[in-house]
Amino acid sequence: MTDRLHVSLAMRPASLADHLFDDTLRRRMQTVANVRPEVLEDFENPASREALAATDVLVAGWGAPPLPEDERAAPRLRAVLSASGNAGGMLGPLARTRGLRLTNARTANSRPVAEFAVAAILLAGKRALPAARLYGQLRGSVDRETHLATAGNHGARIGIVGASTTGRLTIELLRPFDLHVVVHDPYLDEAGARSLGVELASLDELVRTCSVVSVQAPELPETRGMIGAAQLSAMPDGATLINTARGSLIDTDALVAELLTGRIDAVLDVTDPEPLPPDHPLWDLPNVLLTPHVAGSLGNELLRLGARVVEELEQLAQGLPALDPES
């Protein structure tokens, strides 16, 4: 290309850019484009409006301000490259009505989520939560063969709800372990399940027969509340429910009711609502591990998202197709 692309970064807080792009990544961006040094936190003041008007490519992070509805505010804009999971939805209707090239870093973000899920699955198989509770109560030796007789990852049935990008990567990362992986996904057929090396099952069969159930389906109208009272009550005694997807996929009231019985454990990185109200019972239940939505990219993992954005910018500058186009 004879004309270099003009790139602006837009995200809140502006300091997020320093976590996404280290010096090496910034140099790569500057190699293929002119990148404005300041990060735009809004499009309201004259300086940010002027910057947007001269922008060919917007590199967006979470907290990015919505694009102005007036197309004349961004006459040169041709692409939005998002470091988060949703470029179009974040920036409002203009991002789609203009026919902009939209990309996101959802694929890059799937790895830490899958890694978190694998860690939680293996700990759940060892009954780490109930073992820790028992140890704290006894403050002495635990008769493992008596109190933890059903624990262990040898041949355990692990249920994955959703053969999403993250679900499939979780399956791949679980391969070295001595586990029997069962998957429920209405869009996965028997041939697809064989290619993944998993058993295909209905949701009801999966929750009834698996000692660990990891929810990794996308949030869609048809998946909201897909894990309800019937599914939770069907889980075996001592089973663990893991959710790294979205809180809305599980009926929260039904989950609280089942957890109050003490029959099952839960590892919840997401909840509905998020965060929970301060007086919500999930905060204090001993058989629940709550984490603050940390399964996704965190700390140094943010550089992986930044690297994906830089790769998308390099593709665009060379006239090549997007790596992760947003439909």
Side-chain angles (χ1 to χ4, degrees), residues 127-142:
R127 303 298 307 281
L129 280 176
R133 291 196 301 271
L134 180 62
Y135 202 24
Q137 292 164 5
L138 296 177
R139 305 198 175 211
S141 298
V142 173

Side-chain angles (χ1 to χ4, degrees), residues 56-134:
D56 300 308
V57 181
L58 196 64
V59 170
W62 43 95
L67 287 168
E69 294 184 8
D70 187 349
E71 294 188 22
R72 293 172 295 181
R76 296 176 48 165
L77 190 63
R78 47 189 286 206
V80 177
L81 314 180
S82 175
S84 73
N86 190 338
M90 179 193 325
L91 295 169
L94 182 60
R96 294 197 182 280
T97 58
R98 277 276 297 273
L100 302 177
R101 176 166 168 150
L102 304 177
T103 70
N104 61 54
R106 188 173 298 163
T107 300
N109 193 48
S110 66
R111 175 158 289 276
V113 180
E115 291 170 346
F116 184 101
V118 168
I121 288 167
L122 294 176
L123 283 173
K126 295 289 283 188
R127 303 298 307 281
L129 280 176
R133 291 196 301 271
L134 180 62

Side-chain angles (χ1 to χ4, degrees), residues 1-7 29 32-35 54-57 76 78 312-318:
M1 298 177 63
T2 56
D3 295 327
R4 284 168 61 84
L5 296 168
H6 291 264
V7 176
M29 283 197 287
V32 298
N34 297 323
V35 183
T55 296
D56 300 308
V57 181
R76 296 176 48 165
R78 47 189 286 206
E312 293 284 11
L313 180 60
E314 291 168 340
Q315 290 287 108
L316 177 62
Q318 297 173 57

Side-chain angles (χ1 to χ4, degrees), residues 223-295:
T223 61
R224 291 185 65 87
M226 67 186 301
I227 307 291
Q231 290 74 33
L232 293 165
S233 63
M235 292 179 68
D237 290 354
T240 300
L241 178 69
I242 301 166
N243 191 4
T244 57
R246 288 291 183 267
S248 67
L249 275 61
I250 300 174
D251 182 327
T252 301
D253 292 340
L255 177 60
V256 170
E258 196 63 45
L259 289 167
L260 283 169
T261 70
R263 276 197 336 103
I264 65 172
D265 294 331
V267 177
L268 307 174
D269 188 53
V270 289
T271 56
D272 184 25
E274 186 176 308
L276 294 165
D279 60 347
H280 198 280
L282 283 176
W283 289 113
D284 300 312
L285 286 175
N287 50 338
V288 177
L289 175 62
L290 282 177
T291 53
H293 208 140
V294 298

